[in-house]
């Protein structure tokens, strides 16, 4: 058994291993978790209980997760005087799969986002966010049930790489002087600068993940969402490299929209996924007006951040927004929302995102029956109009439950 300086792994439970890019999962896998800041403790406790109940029920006690607490953020600072101890990275690398609560980042000052740090250090290049509707969930649109998408957001590049220079600094002056003198730009001297970098490698590996998923889950289309009309060499290139991967590496499985009409008279063959692309601003309209025409979306980092929240708003909001950040050998599961600090320790917020995230995690480790129970439990609980404040305030005649009561109801409804 591996040794860490700060943490002792649970005695019961076995390690998840990786062989030929596939997870080998024992019946009692050790899964590290990070509680997180703000509402993290409220939702993590409930999510773990619901996940445990689903596993217990699905496999009549034959399978059981051995939870293993590791630390980042405020709790790590308190306990070890550092925001992310090295052991946290090592434990995640060693055990491959982890569940994570939200971590706080100060805006415009202080330390860099711990979430971004985790993604960059562990090279978690794809953020995967399923957007699905549960009957009865409040929605600002007329037909929320038409939305059933999975967003694949590139997670390591773009303006999120953290390559920035502060306005007024010596460094920003050097960058501006260089660009204005050598590259023909006319950047104002009092600007701050950030770099937008999008690579062939970063794009192609993200698109492969989206295509692999689309094939394995029998999905109908993959759409690249970009602003390539304006940012030709970054977002436009993302689109072009995406088409390249689809054609060169997945040619047996994919056709373009053009081919759909030219070769197949507009009728999609059962065994082909349609590859489309849309300009991001138009796509914001389309996810509102014709969501049923879209399925898997693949996009650069910033677009992905915007689209995930915009889409999830149509199906119940951030309280029902699961997410994972993954590479080829590491899978971190976390809710899409943040620490919502004003609600910390009030047993008030919706644990639904983290519970659904737990469902994604169970699916990934092959505990699909347990994920199904979670989906059933949440679906039924929402349909019964017994929900937390965020949904209750938008639903007529709903009863307001606390975080823990909502969890109990989900378990009852599995
Ligand atoms: P936020 O924490 O996501 O909260 C924004 C609002 O969303 C809340 O005030 C609440 O809305 C609603 N909300 C979020 N989670 C909810 C839940 N579980 N149940 C019900 N409603 C929920 O975003 P933020 O206030 O912009 O960010 C706060 C901190 O979180 C920042 O430090 C940020 O950096 C961090 N953050 C972390 C992550 C991450 O760890 N992955 C992600 C995003 C943000 P109402 O006020 O309308 O009730």
């Amino acid at each position: 058994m591996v040794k860490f300086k700060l943490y002792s792994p649970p005695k019961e439970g076995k390690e998840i291993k990786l062989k030929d890019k596939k997870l080998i999962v024992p019946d009692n896998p050790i899964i590290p978790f990070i509680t997180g800041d703000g509402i993290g403790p409220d939702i993590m406790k409930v999510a773990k209980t619901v996940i445990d109940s689903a596993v217990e029920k699905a496999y009549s006690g034959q399978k059981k997760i051995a939870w293993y607490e590791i630390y980042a953020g405020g709790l790590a600072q308190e306990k070890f005087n550092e925001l992310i101890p090295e052991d946290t990275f090592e434990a995640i690398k060693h055990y491959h799969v982890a569940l994570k609560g939200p971590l706080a980042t100060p805006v415009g000052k202080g330390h860099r986002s711990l979430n971004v740090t985790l993604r960059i250090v562990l090279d978690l290049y794809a953020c995967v966010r399923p957007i699905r509707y549960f009957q009865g969930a409040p929605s600002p649109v007329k037909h929320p049930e038409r939305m059933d998408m999975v967003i694949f957001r590139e997670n390591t590049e773009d303006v999120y790489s953290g390559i920035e220079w502060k306005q007024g600094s010596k460094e920003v002056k050097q960058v501006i002087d260089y660009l204005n003198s050598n590259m023909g730009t006319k950047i104002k001297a009092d600007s701050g600068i950030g770099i937008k970098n999008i690579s062939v490698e970063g794009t192609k590996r993200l698109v492969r993940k989206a295509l692999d998923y689309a094939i394995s889950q029998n999905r109908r289309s993959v759409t690249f969402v970009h602003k390539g009309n304006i940012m030709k060499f970054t977002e436009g290139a993302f689109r072009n490299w995406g088409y390249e991967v689809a054609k060169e590496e997945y040619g047996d499985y994919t056709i373009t929209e053009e081919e759909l009409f030219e070769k197949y008279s507009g009728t999609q063959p059962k065994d082909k996924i349609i590859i489309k692309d849309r300009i991001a601003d138009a796509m914001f309209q389309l996810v509102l007006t014709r969501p049923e025409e879209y399925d898997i979306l693949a996009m650069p980092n910033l677009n992905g951040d915007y689209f995930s929240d915009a889409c999830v708003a149509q199906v119940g909001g951030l309280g029902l927004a699961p997410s994972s950040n993954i590479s080829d050998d590491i899978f971190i599961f976390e809710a899409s929302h943040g620490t919502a600090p004003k609600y910390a320790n009030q047993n008030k917020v919706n644990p639904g995102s983290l519970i659904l995230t737990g469902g994604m995690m169970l699916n990934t480790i092959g505990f699909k029956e347990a994920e199904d129970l979670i989906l059933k439990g949440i679906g039924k609980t929402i349909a019964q109009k017994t929900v937390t404040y965020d949904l209750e305030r938008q639903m007529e005649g709903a009863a307001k439950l606390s975080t823990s009561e909502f969890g109990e109801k989900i378990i009852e409804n599995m």
Side-chain angles (χ1 to χ4, degrees):
M1 176 96 30
V2 65
K3 285 228 161 67
F4 298 100
K5 276 193 247 95
L6 304 177
Y7 313 140
S8 328
K11 292 201 175 59
E12 74 282 15
K14 291 211 173 90
E15 295 165 1
I16 293 177
K17 305 261 191 218
L18 194 81
K19 203 173 166 210
D20 301 330
K21 293 193 174 174
K22 288 218 164 69
L23 293 173
I24 313 291
V25 183
D27 280 349
N28 51 349
I30 296 176
I31 299 200
F33 71 96
I34 294 169
T35 298
D37 299 321
I39 56 170
D42 303 61
I43 56 173
M44 183 58 80
K45 188 163 166 245
V46 172
K48 282 189 7 254
T49 308
V50 173
I51 294 167
D52 284 341
S53 300
V55 173
E56 157 83 32
K57 182 153 193 201
Y59 306 108
S60 313
Q62 294 295 305
K63 294 180 194 254
K64 186 175 180 358
I65 290 171
W67 295 107
Y68 174 18
E69 182 152 25
I70 60 174
Y71 293 86
L75 288 174
Q77 185 69 39
E78 260 172 43
K79 230 171 143 61
F80 307 113
N81 203 24
E82 49 186 330
L83 284 164
I84 313 189
E86 193 51 34
D87 268 6
T88 295
F89 293 112
E90 291 307 314
I92 294 171
K93 281 191 221 161
H94 184 78
Y95 292 99
H96 300 294
V97 174
L99 186 65
K100 172 184 164 295
L103 296 171
T105 310
V107 177
K109 61 180 165 64
H111 65 79
R112 181 159 180 220
S113 162
L114 300 179
N115 304 300
V116 175
T117 303
L118 273 167
R119 285 169 211 163
I120 301 279
V121 171
L122 297 172
D123 200 24
L124 304 174
Y125 63 81
C127 175
V128 186
R129 293 184 171 170
I131 319 280
R132 73 159 68 74
Y133 180 66
F134 290 97
Q135 201 59 43
S139 170
V141 297
K142 283 189 188 140
H143 289 289
E145 74 285 355
R146 290 182 185 167
M147 167 138 342
D148 180 11
M149 296 181 193
V150 184
I151 294 177
F152 281 73
R153 163 188 172 192
E154 203 291 324
N155 227 0
T156 61
E157 307 196 316
D158 201 352
V159 283
Y160 278 45
S161 303
I163 310 168
E164 303 192 293
W165 295 281
K166 192 174 173 191
Q167 186 273 323
S169 66
K170 194 172 91 225
E171 291 79 9
V172 88
K173 186 174 179 315
Q174 276 177 3
V175 175
I176 294 171
D177 286 350
Y178 178 82
L179 292 173
N180 284 352
S181 317
N182 298 292
M183 310 296 279
T185 59
K186 289 186 177 137
I187 300 170
K188 291 188 178 63
D190 61 354
S191 302
I193 299 268
I195 296 273
K196 181 176 179 77
N197 55 318
I198 291 188
S199 71
V200 177
E201 185 196 335
T203 300
K204 288 195 169 179
R205 63 183 183 174
L206 184 267
V207 170
R208 283 185 201 108
K209 271 260 184 282
L211 285 163
D212 286 340
Y213 180 90
I215 293 166
S216 72
Q217 306 291 316
N218 294 319
R219 305 292 293 227
R220 305 301 290 147
S221 67
V222 174
T223 305
F224 307 131
V225 182
H226 60 89
K227 278 293 290 179
N229 53 333
I230 307 294
M231 293 170 271
K232 296 185 193 307
F233 303 129
T234 49
E235 304 242 341
F238 178 95
R239 167 198 177 275
N240 296 343
W241 295 325
Y243 275 109
E244 250 174 56
V245 175
K247 185 170 179 207
E248 289 168 10
E249 299 176 31
Y250 295 82
D252 291 345
Y253 299 97
T254 61
I255 52 170
T256 61
E257 266 182 319
E258 262 173 23
E259 287 170 327
L260 173 68
F261 292 100
E262 278 169 12
K263 279 197 199 161
Y264 299 95
S265 322
T267 307
Q268 181 172 5
K270 278 209 170 67
D271 59 344
K272 302 277 189 228
I273 292 162
I274 301 175
I275 306 297
K276 318 179 188 189
D277 81 281
R278 296 290 182 269
I279 305 261
D281 42 345
M283 189 67 188
F284 271 113
Q285 284 200 53
L286 291 167
V287 294
L288 282 165
T289 53
R290 283 148 59 193
E292 66 280 7
E293 291 175 22
Y294 298 92
D295 193 351
I296 309 297
L297 310 181
M299 57 189 93
N301 209 334
L302 179 64
N303 297 347
D305 202 1
Y306 293 157
F307 269 93
S308 336
D309 278 24
C311 290
V312 88
Q314 287 180 229
V315 295
L318 279 176
L320 294 172
S323 170
S324 65
N325 292 298
I326 62 181
S327 69
D328 294 330
D329 51 5
I330 298 176
F331 303 78
I332 296 187
F333 294 87
E334 64 175 319
S336 290
H337 60 71
T339 60
K342 66 183 176 189
Y343 296 128
N345 304 316
Q346 293 176 29
N347 192 22
K348 173 174 174 138
V349 293
N350 190 344
S353 296
L354 194 60
I355 292 172
L356 288 168
T357 299
M360 285 175 83
M361 182 185 83
L362 292 170
N363 189 327
T364 301
I365 63 170
F367 291 12
K368 172 91 181 69
E369 294 77 8
E371 184 199 28
D372 289 344
L373 285 179
I374 285 183
L375 294 174
K376 182 177 164 204
I378 290 200
K380 228 167 142 186
T381 306
I382 292 171
Q384 289 168 350
K385 297 191 174 192
T386 44
V387 289
T388 44
Y389 85 96
D390 53 315
L391 302 180
E392 183 265 347
R393 69 186 168 188
Q394 306 174 68
M395 285 162 76
E396 248 174 63
K400 182 160 75 179
L401 302 188
S402 67
T403 310
S404 50
E405 287 167 341
F406 188 60
E408 284 158 20
K409 202 83 188 144
I410 293 168
I411 293 172
E412 214 177 285
N413 278 327
M414 277 176 188

